[in-house]
Amino acid sequence: MRIDTNRIVTGLDIGTTKICAIVGRMNEHGKIEVLGMGKADSFGVMRGVVANIDKTVEAIRQAVKEAETKAGVEIREVYVGIAGQHIRSLQHRDILTRNDMESEISRDDVNRLIENMHKLVLPPGDRIIHVLPQEFIVDHEPNIKDPVGMCGVRLEANFHIITGQIAAAKNIFKCVEKAGLKVLDLILEPLASSASVLSMEEKEAGVALVDIGGGTTDIAIFQDGIIRHTSVIPLGGNIITDDIKEGCLIMGNQAEALKVKFGSALATETSDNEIVSIPGIRGREPKEIKVENLARIIQARMEEILEHVYYEIKASGFQKKLIGGIVVTGGGSKMKHLKQLVEYVTGMDTKIGFPVEHLTKSKFQEISHPMYATAIGLILKGFEDERYHERAAEELSAKKVEAEAQVEVETEDSHEQPARKGGWFNNILTNTRRWFEEDEVNDFNN
């Protein structure tokens, strides 16, 4: 990956609980230096899907403005995460027969296979978000990770394809554009989280990333360094808060505060006689709640979420190959005794994942919290974006040609003798100008 230390990338995490914008720059060692961050409460998103455009736009503006102020830069382009229960994944294989036996397999050959995947027929209303090559087969030789440079006639590839609803994606684009920003790419949130939390060693050994957010729980399974399975479960921390609210007959904000300060994923780890007093409404008597009862409510719902997670791990077919076990991240991962409950439900080694491996020391201490794993991952994915580098190279080349043409024009004009009409240079220059003008018109029309 080419490192541009002058480039600044912004990741925008549009979550159910919060909307977060983080601005970062990559240093010469490949580490992310966080320049600024902003956060706003999210009231227009439900289970990872935009449900209210205006509220979401307002929260995006608030988070971006705060990030701009702290970073001292103007934000115009962002990499945005997408999640929600509409996300689906499927496996597919394609074959490319090459006519030239002597030439090497090129990047264009691989790109042709990837482009073919975008032509797949999907259910009405769905679109392809990511096409991820898993492994290649060259002339029946399997398990090739990168075939570029090899010789062969028959090139096959297995792909992991992630799809989502067009309407959900369009609503995200609409919110970001109404906030005055441009979406450079839409990235699946568990892929972003895995980029910030997992090491290459863990991906090689085999690991399941579980990102517990406010509205959804995202899963990404890696083995042998390759993405093998992705899934989004429409259950998260907010549903636990709702259970506490109904079970203890208290306000929603009180239930959230109880969960964060006194909550535990294991009722057996709490004290039998510990009691929390909740202020009553408008002079009513305070309500006393046993911490053990609170933990029982949390444990019941958390076990349900983890059973869904374990089902997805088993459905992937890689359960027994995950030497790295499970890595839990996201805002819900900081629940007390969650690690023990995950190990109890799944029987797999578990650890909490923090997005610190790819970060430099920062003045923003809270950035190392698992709830920011997705936003940090979006920045990392932004720096890996090859399409950005291709666009930048094309723009630089176009500017160079235009500058050279301008110099030639000035040189011709400075000659005392009149320019010859219809000369070869004038013809080339006229054609060059026309090409640029046509490109500008086409870009505008598109």
Side-chain angles (χ1 to χ4, degrees), residues 110-176:
V110 175
N111 289 338
R112 281 169 62 191
L113 279 174
I114 294 174
E115 285 300 319
N116 286 342
M117 292 299 98
H118 285 277
K119 299 174 184 176
L120 287 177
V121 178
L122 300 175
D126 281 7
R127 60 163 282 187
I128 291 176
I129 299 172
H130 294 292
V131 175
L132 306 171
Q134 293 192 305
E135 60 183 3
F136 295 89
I137 303 163
V138 178
D139 289 346
H140 305 290
E141 185 66 32
N143 302 322
I144 295 171
K145 291 185 179 180
D146 188 358
V148 175
M150 297 180 66
C151 291
V153 176
R154 181 186 173 96
L155 176 63
E156 301 176 61
N158 294 323
F159 292 97
H160 183 74
I161 300 170
I162 299 167
T163 68
Q165 287 182 357
I166 295 174
K170 281 187 174 180
N171 284 334
I172 291 176
F173 274 100
K174 185 181 293 185
C175 289
V176 177

Side-chain angles (χ1 to χ4, degrees), residues 218-277:
D218 306 332
I219 302 167
I221 296 175
F222 294 83
Q223 200 273 328
D224 199 20
I226 300 168
I227 181 77
R228 301 292 185 177
H229 185 76
T230 53
S231 180
V232 177
I233 299 168
L235 299 172
N238 285 1
I239 199 168
I240 297 175
T241 302
D242 290 340
D243 287 351
I244 296 171
K245 174 185 172 183
E246 294 181 11
C248 299
L249 298 176
I250 56 178
M251 300 289 290
N253 58 344
Q254 295 173 332
E256 179 66 23
L258 267 181
K259 182 183 74 174
V260 173
K261 293 182 180 179
F262 303 100
S264 170
L266 280 177
T268 55
E269 297 294 325
T270 59
S271 175
D272 294 339
N273 54 4
E274 189 175 357
I275 294 175
V276 179
S277 180

